[in-house]
Amino acid sequence: MEKLKPKLFSVMKTYTKEQFVKDVIAGIIVAIIALPLSIALALASGVGPEQGIYTAIVAGFLISFLGGSRVQIAGPTAAFATIVAGIVAQKGMDGLILATVLAGIILVAMGFLRLGNLIKYIPYTITTGFTAGIAVTIAIGQVKDFLGLTYPAGTVTIETMEKLEAVVKNIASINWQALIVGIVCLAILIVWPYINKTIPGSLIAVIVGILMVQFLHMNVNTIGDLYTISNQLPHFHMPSFSLADVKGIFPDAFTIAILAAIESLLSCVVADSMINSKHRSNMELIAQGIGNIGSALFGGIPATGAIARTAANIKNGGRTPIAGMVHAIVLVLILVVLMPYAALIPMPCIAAILFMVAYNMCGWRTFVGLCKSSPKSDIIVLVVTFVLTVVFDLVVAIEAGILLAAILFMKRMSDVTEVEGWKMDDEDDPDSISLRTVSEHTLVYEITGPMFFAAADKILNISVNDNTKCLILRMRSVNAIDATAMHSLEQLYEKYEGKGIKIILSHVNEQPKSVMDKAGFTKQIGEKNFCSHIDKALERAKELAKM
């Protein structure tokens, strides 16, 4: 069983000075990368710029210290931006703190219950759909600042569709100077990685954007024009709340927890493939929970493992959690010393950074590939999840996506479950009916596939002849049975028992046999009527027919 032990405590046994130097360098580089991203994601989430830094500091340190991965870097990510903005707009910062703390508690519970592996049961089409949907919502939310639009007082822009409507109505108020700054910054973000892969393009874009606005005296909004910048260290704040508040915020908290679990564990899997390691998924969930609780109580927003920052950590030599802890400490120094200068960053520059974040996370090639190659049911789940994420919100999208995926899965399983008479069409099968003699008083039905509630009615469709004395149900291809199908079997037994027809079961697998034992069905039809092979079942039918 997987150990609930932080990776830090394992790797320190063989830690060296050389690796410490590499971890420090990697941590500093990742902190430089995280700075503009944390500010941009905080603004996209509807909170102050410093709260993104708080998140990267508190959650980043705790998750590295306690996490189940050697190299995971945690902080604010784009996946949470839209849901956090909605919570803040509707329920304020106290509502967000409560939702994040509850999400942290859920994550810790998931870890202690060892549910880390259950995340794999979230269909890939759902994660792809809502990830692409989040990317679109982030991009739509940044159009206003990229174009420098001005909205009339009282314009409501909480939901994505409201933001899109406001953009269309106010497109005439475009600020061409803001657009120029945005285009230049976006061009830098696109081109810079081809020039230099060591220095992050987002940092260069921020510097160029500041220089353009300040030295060319451009009429462009900066962070300082719209937000009050603070370089204070995060401080503890516990919100007041009631049971009604908990009930109202719980769906959002559950969504945050599921998102954090999915994204963090996906990031761990990607990191494992890059360094040939293996993470501890349950310990990672516990660390994510504690990190989110800490982040919320010290002024931050929800956090999770960040795939891009984790990859940057690995590429720059980070191989232990020390790198993630150094990244958090460096951000503390940046917060205290450089945060006031963040007021100079132009809003179109922030929008350009978030456009690139949205593009990198949208996975449009994967989306198109799934639409071309997947079964129709999977395409439906993918598109519905994507559309609901954009049109409504992530909570609705995940709930509807999982429900739809479950229904369509049950439909597929029901379609492959068959109950039909034994056919003479497979002479290559050594157990084929063509190689056996079946009495005229005996009918053999073969059941194929799982017997569960969606296919239970097929059992009741079994019909017999007037001269039938024995009915053999061959179940070699039935690996599972649920209570509804068990009830249908009992109904079938009662229906034909009254007509003097005996039921014999052939090759019942372990799980179905266990269910039948617990239901008393084994005792009801008699242990002798359970046969390990079709030949024994046919012999048993001959015996019963003579009685």
Side-chain angles (χ1 to χ4, degrees), residues 469 541-547:
K469 293 183 179 179
K542 289 180 181 179
E543 293 176 13
L544 293 175
K546 294 176 181 178
M547 292 182 182

Side-chain angles (χ1 to χ4, degrees), residues 21 32 47 110 133 155 172-173 258 305 389 398 432 441 484 503 532 545:
V21 173
I32 294 171
V47 298
M110 289 172 66
T155 302
S173 65
I258 294 298
T389 301
I398 291 179
S432 171
H441 299 296
T484 306
I503 293 180
S532 59

